[in-house]
Every structure is written in structure tokens, then in C-alpha cells.
Amino acid sequence: MTDEADVLVHVEGRTGRLTLNRPKALNALSHPMVLRVEEALTAWRGDPAVEAVVVSGAGERGLCAGGDIRAIHDDAKAGGTASADFWRD
């Protein structure tokens, strides 16, 4: 994956590594990020070469601020369904 991806996914030895890569937003989770994490975890669940998973956050300010509240708020104001989809996933 490129450095521009919001979730960097790779395997080091027998460890799957997920790096949340939105340091300017305190690595707040967007819906596409949730889907990418789910995709990686699902793939690793059946992979005997992956024995552990480590989740880390890019930058110096913390692992993750939680959900991207701005995106959720904007979607709710617009009457969209993205917020419900985010929480479901």
C-alpha cells in the first residue's frame, strides 16, 4: 500500500500490522477505514501464517480519536445513511 492510504496493511514475520494513517485527524476512523480493517482481519483470520495482529496509529498524538465525528455529523445533517452504515460495520 502507498503511504497515502488511510490504513496501512502488511505482515511482518507472523504478525499482521494495521497502521491507522490519518495523523492530522488523530487517526479518526472513517467508514472506508473500518471496511479496510475488517477486510484485513477477515483475511488474516483464516491465514495460519498470521498469529497476532498489532494496531498502531501514525503520528505522535495517539492511536485513534474514535469515529470521524465531522463526517458523521455532516452525513446526519444531509439526511444520509453513511452514519448508520459506519456504526453497523
Side-chain angles (χ1 to χ4, degrees), residues 59-84:
E60 301 295 324
R61 295 172 46 193
L63 172 63
C64 179
D68 188 337
I69 299 303
R70 178 175 292 141
I72 292 168
H73 176 264
D74 291 347
D75 175 68
K77 278 182 66 175
T81 63
S83 297

Side-chain angles (χ1 to χ4, degrees), residues 10 19 27 31 35 37 43 49 51 62-63 65 70 72 79 85-87:
H10 66 281
T19 303
N27 298 313
H31 192 212
L35 295 175
V37 167
E51 294 181 349
L63 172 63
R70 178 175 292 141
I72 292 168
D85 295 342
F86 173 88
W87 293 113

Side-chain angles (χ1 to χ4, degrees), residues 40-70:
L41 292 175
T42 299
W44 291 337
R45 177 179 55 208
D47 185 347
V50 176
E51 294 181 349
V53 174
V54 174
V55 180
S56 59
E60 301 295 324
R61 295 172 46 193
L63 172 63
C64 179
D68 188 337
I69 299 303
R70 178 175 292 141

